[in-house]
Amino acid sequence: MSNNNPQTREWQSLSNDHHLAPFSDFKQLKEKGPRIITHAKGVYLWDSEGNKILDGMAGLWCVAIGYGRDELADAASKQMRELPYYNLFFQTAHPPVLELAKAIADIAPAGMNHVFFTGSGSEGNDTMLRMVRHYWAIKGQPNKKVIISRKNGYHGSTVAGASLGGMTYMHEQGDLPIPGIVHIAQPYWFGEGGDMTPEEFGVWAANQLEQKILEIGVDNVGAFIAEPIQGAGGVIVPPDSYWPRIKEILAKYDILFVADEVICGFGRTGEWFGSDFYDLKPDMMTIAKGLTSGYIPMGGLIVRDEVVAVLNEGGDFNHGFTYSGHPVAAAVALENIRIMRDENIIGRVHEESAPYLQKRLRELNDHPLVGEVRGVGMLGAIELVQDKATRKRYEGKGAGMICRQFCFDNGLIMRAVGDTMIISPPLVITPAEIDELVTKARKCLDLTLSALQG
Ligand SMILES: Cc1ncc(COP(=O)(O)O)c(C=O)c1O
């Protein structure tokens, strides 16, 4: 990027001298310098060079109600003045966390009325792992420890979160996964379906769960965790046959089902939760991101009543975080949920924005570089290919990264997962802004194709 503003260089040198950025090649970042984002409003970001950028990723999938909502800032400020901090350990609580737990129970699927709060989605999944094992131990089945997860799933970056996730490039650093976590195939038809139809492949992928349960022995399996739609893996929308078959398998075996709703929760699919969209009946749901629209860190685990009834018999649950249910985060989350409800944001996604976004995105199917466009709600993926019919990629050319860079340079944030371009804009994006997003995406596909052929 061009650095005309002297302040940009100043901030970049601070980055070089002092900052270690997440999921970054430290040395490469020093050479290039980070783009400095200075402010934001609605669906737009501005960088320190004055560029206005349409944020097609809602930050990291989280800024559901858009940037710049004063109500959330006011809620935080009011709570900071009243009670900036107190913990929930040792039989204490405070009003915002209790009101938030009730507000979440009101929107969660029936029978899910309790919430354990954390500081992030990763901590939510760590909590899940410990709670699942504690649950089975209380029930007198302490061997039911293994958690089955999926390849290319994403469940966070703590040791447990990265182990639950199926990202091999994360496992390679630090001897992961930890014992007791195993992975089965993902329902990614476009990338891995081979000659099967999507429906056949969906059943095949779901059957991997049953096979794994039988291989390990149901007496050793505690839970299966999955994102309703895999986000960071590349917006993997499973074939229609997948979830119904998984539900049959879960009904057959006595294991818990955990829906990781960190991305799908809070309206992303046009329902409050991805589990509502697919009519799943999870025992636990991990939440974060859209819970506060990313304005402040907060995560949690929503737990089914029957599971809570067992936990109630288990004495102390020796787990928790200094910032579990932080009052300021809870106040912001409450205000965020109030805005979502009062402004019917999810209803509007369901009725208007999601159908429009999905229709406009699919128009990109006619582009020579595009092998598939898929999506649900306010989630979308565009597969970049050399040959549409065979789904053959531009091997080793880094098509996704080239496209991502063109997007950045043309005022659009679209993320690349390999050669899959993904979007997840704020839920409040307007039709005119969706038009802008699709127009810019097409332009960047043209530029990417020319670069690949040039
Ligand atoms: C599905 C899913 N689970 C868990 C996480 C981890 O959340 P956090 O980054 O807040 O720890 C993420 C983050 O992207 C996610 O997408």
Side-chain angles (χ1 to χ4, degrees):
M1 64 179 283
S2 60
N3 294 340
N4 299 319
N5 178 356
Q7 250 215 305
T8 302
R9 286 193 290 278
E10 215 174 288
W11 280 320
Q12 286 176 334
S13 64
L14 293 181
S15 165
N16 289 354
D17 294 347
H18 304 293
H19 187 223
L20 299 175
F23 283 98
S24 299
D25 176 331
F26 298 152
K27 187 167 157 211
Q28 190 194 50
L29 188 62
K30 275 189 205 299
E31 284 154 13
K32 231 175 127 198
R35 182 185 291 266
I36 311 291
I37 304 296
T38 53
H39 57 287
K41 183 84 190 161
V43 300
Y44 293 101
L45 305 164
W46 279 263
D47 68 18
S48 57
E49 294 296 303
N51 296 305
K52 181 180 176 187
I53 308 160
L54 199 169
D55 185 3
M57 283 305 298
L60 272 179
W61 325 78
C62 48
V63 188
I65 65 168
Y67 296 96
R69 292 295 303 242
D70 285 340
E71 301 92 322
L72 269 57
D74 293 343
S77 158
K78 182 166 174 284
Q79 186 58 47
M80 275 196 191
R81 287 167 214 285
E82 213 159 283
L83 179 72
Y85 177 77
Y86 201 71
N87 67 78
L88 307 172
F89 293 25
F90 318 127
Q91 306 187 358
T92 57
H94 46 66
V97 79
L98 302 176
E99 286 166 25
L100 178 60
K102 164 79 168 90
I104 292 173
D106 286 347
I107 57 177
M112 302 194 77
N113 288 301
H114 293 77
V115 191
F116 190 105
F117 288 102
T118 66
S120 67
S122 302
E123 287 177 8
N125 282 326
D126 278 52
T127 300
M128 177 281 293
L129 184 136
R130 300 200 61 209
M131 194 180 276
V132 163
R133 290 177 177 175
H134 182 49
Y135 166 89
W136 288 114
I138 297 167
K139 284 184 68 134
Q141 295 168 275
N143 289 338
K144 280 174 82 68
K145 282 198 174 94
V146 175
I147 316 280
I148 301 176
S149 180
R150 300 184 301 182
K151 292 178 184 158
N152 203 34
Y154 189 81
H155 299 296
S157 197
T158 51
V159 169
S163 295
L164 290 163
M167 305 293 186
T168 44
Y169 61 90
M170 291 174 79
H171 293 168
E172 280 159 12
Q173 295 176 340
D175 288 338
L176 303 180
I178 53 173
I181 294 173
V182 297
H183 299 85
I184 58 171
Q186 58 175 335
Y188 180 27
W189 174 78
F190 188 86
E192 299 173 3
D195 294 333
M196 284 187 248
T197 64
E199 295 321 293
E200 287 165 352
F201 180 70
V203 172
W204 176 87
N207 282 339
Q208 302 311 300
L209 174 61
E210 181 163 45
Q211 243 176 44
K212 189 58 84 178
I213 294 170
L214 295 175
E215 180 190 317
I216 295 171
V218 68
D219 292 343
N220 298 314
V221 179
F224 171 56
I225 181 170
E227 300 157 80
I229 295 164
Q230 279 158 267
V235 181
I236 314 282
V237 180
D240 290 344
S241 56
Y242 182 75
W243 282 117
R245 179 69 191 124
I246 290 278
K247 278 164 63 179
E248 283 174 12
I249 296 166
L250 290 170
K252 201 162 149 192
Y253 299 98
D254 190 19
I255 65 173
L256 297 174
F257 172 48
V258 184
D260 186 333
E261 295 272 1
V262 169
I263 285 178
C264 292
F266 297 92
R268 190 59 46 207
T269 64
E271 305 285 345
W272 275 104
F273 294 95
S275 295
D276 299 322
F277 184 85
Y278 285 115
D279 191 28
L280 309 176
K281 300 271 182 290
D283 298 295
M284 298 179 181
M285 300 199 306
T286 324
I287 53 171
K289 296 193 190 277
L291 168 62
T292 59
S293 281
Y295 279 54
I296 198 161
M298 183 174 234
L301 189 67
I302 312 180
V303 186
R304 184 165 290 286
D305 298 349
E306 288 88 335
V307 174
V308 174
V310 172
L311 296 171
N312 284 343
E313 302 306 313
D316 279 3
F317 180 41
N318 299 316
H319 176 78
F321 304 100
T322 302
Y323 301 124
S324 284
H326 192 286
V328 179
V332 170
L334 265 173
E335 186 61 9
N336 179 57
I337 292 172
R338 184 197 67 70
I339 288 175
M340 282 191 172
R341 292 181 103 140
D342 289 1
E343 298 183 7
N344 189 28
I345 286 177
I346 297 172
R348 281 194 283 137
V349 165
H350 186 96
E351 299 299 323
E352 296 159 24
S353 357
Y356 189 64
L357 175 73
Q358 296 301 334
K359 171 176 151 298
R360 295 278 355 244
L361 272 184
R362 276 167 182 72
E363 290 170 16
L364 298 172
N365 262 319
D366 68 3
H367 195 281
L369 187 56
V370 173
E372 177 180 86
V373 178
R374 61 173 177 268
V376 160
M378 303 305 278
L379 286 167
I382 305 166
E383 297 282 4
L384 309 185
V385 290
Q386 186 167 10
D387 185 325
K388 279 173 183 278
T390 60
R391 317 201 291 265
K392 180 174 178 289
R393 303 283 189 184
Y394 276 97
E395 292 299 340
K397 296 259 180 103
M401 291 309 280
I402 294 172
C403 187
R404 192 187 83 155
Q405 192 58 45
F406 279 126
C407 290
F408 248 128
D409 295 343
N410 285 277
L412 172 65
I413 291 187
M414 240 200 319
R415 190 160 139 186
V417 178
D419 287 348
T420 311
M421 305 309 297
I422 57 176
I423 58 151
S424 168
L427 304 184
V428 294
I429 190 170
T430 63
E433 289 160 348
I434 290 173
D435 290 343
E436 181 188 337
L437 187 155
V438 175
T439 303
K440 284 183 168 165
R442 183 177 285 280
K443 178 179 174 192
C444 296
L445 290 170
D446 288 344
L447 291 165
T448 306
L449 185 60
S450 302
L452 288 166
Q453 291 177 338

